[in-house]
Amino acid sequence: MSITSGWLKKETSGAIKRFERRWVVIKGITLSYYKKDDASSAPLGEIELPGKRITQPPSADGVYKFDLIDRDDTCHFMCETKSEREKFIDAISSVCYAPFGGGMFGTLIEVSVRRERVHGGGTVPRVISQCIGFLDTPARIVENGIFRLPGNERTVKQLKMDFQEGLEPNLEIRCDTHTVASLLKLYLRVLPDSIIPSSLYEDFVAIILTYEINPNEGLNEMQHLLKRIPPTNFNTLRMLCMFLYKVQTYSASNLMDLNNLAIVFSPTILKNTSADHSLEKEMEDIQKLKKVTEIMIINCGKLFPSDRDLEDENELDLSTIDTDELKNMYQIKAIKLQVQSRELQAKEKELEELRAQVAQLTATVTEQGTVIKLSKNKIDSLEGYIERLENYWDRNGIDRPDIPPLPPPKPTGLNLVPIPPPKPTGLNLAPIPPPKPAGLNLAPIPPPKPAGLNLEPNPPPKQEEVSSPEPPVRRLARLYTMQQPLTRPSRPARFGNN
């Protein structure tokens, strides 16, 4: 049985809210918290996890919180680091959403497959089959940098929560190639153990030397070792290696050859959990793990026959399950039945409310129908009376009275008289003339005359005055005068001085 423990800060339930440090242990379907790191003592409290919902408030100033929400209560927790919060959320989610086929991140592969079978799952975890099915297309498998370039972090986180809650996210609508590839790597990275159990690390590493000397003998030994891993892990490893072999065949386009793929996936396919963590030992382990991964990818056709499946989907071997885990499975199923029962009761209550609304509407319609029927009968009787009265007038020769038509009825409670627009008081709405700019002469300025050029029009020539014809006597006298020399006229003699 998987047990997760560590220090968390839990909000108190008293009148004064504050966070106090508690030792938290998640075992089975129960979260217990203690005052000291001693799980053998009596716990301060316990929380049944199935059916709860997890939320993550935004992180701020190094504070990482998460909440456990139920219909009746909400528990608030605080972690010191982001990685610590992710560890507890994965552990809690694997229990909270187990009744709904979720909680697969951070859970052993065989446990996830066992839970998903209740909801029609297959022989591999649903997240792996959906991610590989999305990526195994001609357009996506040749994507440059597949499994090397990161995807959208926010979308990856949302997809993880959808799978955790047992939902069916539509990858075709929401995702691109790198986002789904990042989701697949995240699932494999948070597994409690590698796909090949770490207990078989030394056995698989020992095959490397045999394979280098005699490849056929090395592959035979590896086939015998693969029979020792759990059937669900074998099916998962087969699907993954088959897909990676196809990816490396398009290395000319996606730039992910066998060496690059082995570097990416070797830590999740097989890992060493020995106590020796020296730098030299880790570097040596990396090379060995990479070599084992390369052997399995390039020889996947021989190691994983396509017509072989180590587990029947319809069978469940209870003898291989721990007693406490089996007990938890039945408890989870009982809680799931309780949840479904509450949902059924809520649906029945909603159905009763709908039936009451239908009955009320039926009564209203019936009442309106009765009113309409009475009104129609009254109209028919009035029309019959008018027809008999007109016949009486016709038989007795009585002129029909001139009855003015009735005015149309006025709606009651409504004042349809147009309301005049209000007159503004104290406002002068006369048009204001535009202001004249002070100190500016906007009269048109005549164009300047070019110097040295007289462009004024010449005045018309003056016509000579035509005199009247001169008399001949006067003309002769004038000519005579012009021919005589200029002399001083003599003084005339006086009369009487002879």
Side-chain angles (χ1 to χ4, degrees):
M1 181 186 302
S2 178
I3 300 177
T4 304
S5 60
W7 287 103
L8 290 178
K9 291 183 179 180
K10 181 183 179 298
E11 188 179 60
T12 59
S13 58
I16 301 176
K17 303 294 184 181
R18 65 179 183 274
F19 283 91
E20 294 184 350
R21 201 162 181 256
R22 295 288 181 259
W23 178 256
V24 176
V25 177
I26 302 172
K27 183 178 180 181
I29 62 172
T30 306
L31 183 149
S32 306
Y33 51 94
Y34 306 82
K35 191 172 183 179
K36 298 180 180 180
D37 56 346
D38 183 12
S40 59
S41 59
L44 298 177
E46 294 183 344
I47 301 174
E48 297 294 329
L49 296 178
K52 299 290 192 300
R53 188 164 55 90
I54 304 175
T55 60
Q56 299 183 44
S59 303
D61 299 332
V63 177
Y64 304 97
K65 298 180 179 180
F66 68 91
D67 303 329
L68 281 178
I69 302 176
D70 196 3
R71 294 187 305 170
D72 303 327
D73 191 17
T74 301
C75 298
H76 305 279
F77 294 91
M78 183 189 300
C79 304
E80 295 181 355
T81 62
K82 184 178 180 179
S83 60
E84 187 179 38
R85 181 177 67 173
E86 294 298 328
K87 180 188 74 172
F88 275 99
I89 286 180
D90 290 340
I92 294 173
S93 299
S94 64
V95 182
C96 289
Y97 302 117
F100 313 102
M104 58 187 65
F105 282 79
T107 306
L108 292 173
I109 293 177
E110 52 185 338
V111 176
S112 297
V113 172
R114 193 181 302 125
R115 292 174 179 174
E116 293 172 10
R117 282 187 175 180
V118 182
H119 303 272
T123 58
V124 298
R126 184 163 46 92
V127 62
I128 289 184
S129 60
Q130 290 194 15
C131 288
I132 292 180
F134 176 86
L135 297 173
D136 193 6
T137 60
R140 298 186 179 109
I141 201 170
V142 297
E143 184 77 23
N144 184 7
I146 184 174
F147 294 119
R148 180 170 52 86
L149 298 178
N152 187 293
E153 183 179 356
R154 183 175 181 180
T155 307
V156 170
K157 185 177 180 179
Q158 184 59 47
L159 289 173
K160 175 187 174 182
M161 290 306 300
D162 291 344
F163 277 108
Q164 283 289 80
E165 296 177 8
L167 303 178
E168 292 285 346
N170 192 338
L171 303 181
E172 296 289 341
I173 297 177
R174 302 170 53 183
C175 306
D176 58 3
T177 301
H178 299 297
T179 299
V180 177
S182 298
L183 179 67
L184 177 59
K185 293 190 297 182
L186 175 62
Y187 172 79
L188 297 175
R189 188 168 59 249
V190 299
L191 286 174
D193 199 358
S194 54
I195 301 178
I196 299 176
S198 56
S199 59
L200 300 175
Y201 170 79
E202 296 294 341
D203 297 329
F204 274 89
V205 168
I207 297 177
I208 298 176
L209 183 59
T210 306
Y211 179 81
E212 292 176 350
I213 299 174
N214 189 341
N216 292 329
E217 185 178 351
L219 292 178
N220 291 333
E221 292 183 7
M222 187 171 287
Q223 278 185 334
H224 290 292
L225 284 178
L226 289 173
K227 295 179 181 180
R228 295 170 56 184
I229 69 175
T232 53
N233 294 41
F234 177 86
N235 298 329
T236 302
L237 183 61
R238 179 180 64 183
M239 178 179 288
L240 181 63
C241 290
M242 291 286 189
F243 175 65
L244 295 181
Y245 177 81
K246 188 181 295 187
V247 172
Q248 63 90 27
T249 58
Y250 296 95
S251 59
S253 301
N254 56 36
L255 304 181
M256 292 298 290
D257 55 10
L258 183 62
N259 180 68
N260 293 334
L261 292 174
I263 292 175
V264 173
F265 286 94
S266 58
T268 57
I269 291 179
L270 180 63
K271 64 177 63 174
N272 183 14
T273 57
S274 62
D276 188 2
H277 295 290
S278 62
L279 181 59
E280 295 180 358
K281 179 64 174 176
E282 289 183 359
M283 295 300 296
E284 183 181 355
D285 290 342
I286 290 175
Q287 296 300 322
K288 292 179 180 179
L289 294 175
K290 188 169 74 69
K291 185 62 178 178
V292 171
T293 305
E294 290 178 356
I295 294 173
M296 286 190 291
I297 293 176
I298 202 66
N299 298 285
C300 60
K302 298 179 180 179
L303 297 174
F304 309 101
S306 58
D307 58 347
R308 177 186 172 195
D309 199 337
L310 293 184
E311 185 175 15
D312 187 3
E313 297 183 16
N314 300 321
E315 294 181 358
L316 184 62
D317 189 5
L318 299 180
S319 61
T320 61
I321 305 176
D322 184 68
T323 305
D324 294 336
E325 185 177 353
L326 185 61
K327 179 181 178 182
N328 293 336
M329 287 178 57
Y330 284 111
Q331 289 179 351
I332 289 174
K333 288 184 178 180
I335 293 174
K336 181 181 178 181
L337 292 175
Q338 293 177 2
V339 172
Q340 293 177 347
S341 176
R342 288 198 296 265
E343 292 178 353
L344 182 60
Q345 292 176 1
K347 294 293 184 181
E348 290 178 350
K349 184 178 180 181
E350 183 179 356
L351 182 60
E352 291 296 331
E353 293 177 356
L354 291 176
R355 287 175 177 173
Q357 293 178 5
V358 170
Q360 184 177 0
L361 291 174
T362 303
T364 303
V365 170
T366 304
E367 182 180 356
Q368 294 294 334
T370 303
V371 173
I372 292 172
K373 185 176 181 180
L374 294 175
S375 300
K376 185 178 180 181
N377 293 337
K378 188 175 181 180
I379 292 172
D380 292 341
S381 62
L382 289 175
E383 289 178 350
Y385 174 76
I386 292 173
E387 185 178 358
R388 291 193 300 271
L389 185 61
E390 289 178 347
N391 293 334
Y392 174 77
W393 288 341
D394 292 339
R395 288 195 304 270
N396 296 279
I398 302 175
D399 295 334
R400 299 181 182 181
D402 188 10
I403 302 175
L406 296 176
K410 296 182 179 180
T412 59
L414 297 175
N415 186 9
L416 302 180
V417 179
I419 302 175
K423 297 181 179 180
T425 58
L427 297 176
N428 185 10
L429 300 180
I432 301 174
K436 296 181 179 180
L440 297 176
N441 184 9
L442 301 180
I445 302 174
K449 297 180 179 180
L453 296 177
N454 185 9
L455 300 179
E456 294 182 0
N458 295 326
K462 296 182 179 181
Q463 297 181 358
E464 297 181 358
E465 296 180 358
V466 180
S467 58
S468 59
E470 188 177 7
V473 177
R474 183 174 295 180
R475 185 171 177 271
L476 290 175
R478 183 173 56 77
L479 294 174
Y480 177 80
T481 303
M482 291 176 62
Q483 293 179 358
Q484 293 298 324
L486 295 175
T487 59
R488 185 174 182 180
S490 60
R491 188 173 181 178
R494 294 184 180 181
F495 295 96
N497 295 329
N498 294 328

